[in-house]
Amino acid sequence: GSSPSPRPAAGCPQRRLGPRERRDLQREILAVLGLPGRPRLRAPPAAARLPASAPLFMLDLYHAMAGDDDEDGGPRERGLGRADLVMSFVNMVELDRALGHQEPHWKEFRFDLTQIPAGETVTAAEFRIYKLPSTHPLNRTLHVSVFEVVREQANRESDLFFLDLQTLRAEDEGWLVLDVTAASDRWLSNRNEDLGLRLYVETEDGRSVDPGLAGLLGRRAPRSKQPFMVTFFRESPNPTRVPR
Amino acid sequence: AVRSLRRRLPKKTNELPQPNKLPGIFDDIHGSHGRQVCRRHELYVSFQDLGWLDWVIAPQGYSAYYCEGECSFPLDSCMNATNHAIVQSLVHLMKPDAVPKACCAPTKLSATSVLYYDSSNNVILRKHRNMVVKACGCH
């Protein structure tokens, strides 16, 4: 006949969920989203933290990514490339050798990378530091270079590994983005060897400049202009899932 | 008859399933026998209700869409499914114990992203591919 059979569906079980099952299902969905529970935050509520530089940058990234999400993903993806996970790292420790006339001047930045989940591959990493216009040195070209601290030595300079160099004018203002992918990659494979990043500023004739005097802002800067690191990860093809 | 029929066949015969539309004023959601046709449903998980918005920065909640409903194809109906699903439904009518009914399942998925703090106050942006059901259909 033209009407469907009155027999119950044999293939797909369909039933309403009870309130407890519904709650369990919500927990499962959150776990799938990587939100298994509330973290133990070490800082004041989000309202006080939101104007900080890293969350603001990440929120911009989220809006860009949300636009991509609506478009099925795949080859049309923009901006974030192949990244599944983006983490920003707050600068935990800042060391300075900019006091007095001792040269060369440098600034060192350290980050807590212990929270990176297993099974991720680094696709890119950036160190972002804000630069204000500087009148010292006046009308000069500056070279800003960043190094990974590979080994600390007791009685001499630390061993460094060159990562990136940017050339700019002393009067320039804005976010300076330095490529630190190589260091992030190494830190991910050897998590105990995270000794930080070291920043040098030089004039064209090779004279060392105090990064602070060159206009580069550190931890004492306004929250929206503090330096941070952002790392882009790609999930491994076969992520290990906890049985649930 | 076969020869003439072949001539009239469209070139593209292996089309992907037509997704079921979201219910509109002309949609027969409950079908002709009070049963709900295969369509998209929503289970909204509110991060605000859970009190998580102090550490989940965005979004405010997650729409977990899922597919639910009957995959029945009366012969006079507009068949919103693959040929395979229609044939499977007909064979199911003949041999219900041997062949299961066609399933109401997602036909189109998209990604979603979540932005949140971890316990070190680092901010994490995580993208989940093939997470959001955009359309449902019968398979």
Side-chain angles (χ1 to χ4, degrees), chain B residues 29-71:
Chain B
I29 292 169
H30 297 288
S32 54
H33 293 267
R35 275 181 292 194
Q36 200 177 59
V37 297
C38 173
R39 70 181 185 97
R40 197 173 71 149
H41 296 260
E42 185 184 358
L43 176 67
Y44 186 73
V45 181
S46 167
F47 299 145
Q48 192 157 23
D49 291 352
L50 288 166
W52 286 10
L53 283 187
D54 59 337
W55 64 281
V56 178
I57 303 168
Q60 296 221 325
Y62 171 68
S63 290
Y65 293 111
Y66 62 98
C67 301
E68 191 183 55
E70 285 279 331
C71 282

Side-chain angles (χ1 to χ4, degrees), chain A residues 2-5 7 9-12 14-16 22 25-27 29-30 32-35 37-43 46 49 55 58-59 61-62 65 69 72 77 82-90 112 115 117 234-235, chain B residues 33 35 43-45 47 50-52 54-55 57-59 62 64 68-70 72 74-76 92-93 96 100-104 108 110-129 131 134:
Chain A
S2 62
S3 60
S5 161
R7 292 186 195 94
C12 317
Q14 288 166 13
R15 64 185 176 81
R16 290 264 161 224
R22 199 178 166 87
L25 192 58
Q26 286 180 348
R27 292 274 166 197
I29 291 164
L30 294 168
V32 170
L33 286 171
L35 305 171
R38 176 187 296 275
R40 283 183 215 150
L41 296 174
R42 297 179 200 156
R49 292 194 309 264
M58 293 294 279
L59 201 55
L61 217 54
Y62 168 82
M65 203 183 240
D69 292 348
D72 299 343
E77 283 171 6
R82 302 181 322 131
D84 294 306
L85 176 74
V86 188
M87 287 182 83
S88 68
F89 299 96
V90 181
D112 178 9
Q115 301 283 321
R234 173 90 178 163
E235 218 170 28
Chain B
H33 293 267
R35 275 181 292 194
L43 176 67
Y44 186 73
V45 181
F47 299 145
L50 288 166
W52 286 10
D54 59 337
W55 64 281
I57 303 168
Y62 171 68
E68 191 183 55
E70 285 279 331
S72 302
L75 292 179
D76 58 349
H92 167 72
L93 291 177
K101 208 170 185 177
C103 273
C104 174
K108 193 180 171 194
S110 71
T112 190
S113 307
V114 192
L115 184 66
Y116 59 99
Y117 285 102
D118 69 6
S119 52
S120 301
N121 290 338
N122 298 318
V123 181
I124 299 175
L125 176 56
R126 191 177 272 278
K127 181 171 188 162
H128 300 272
R129 287 162 203 274
M131 186 76 189
K134 302 292 273 189

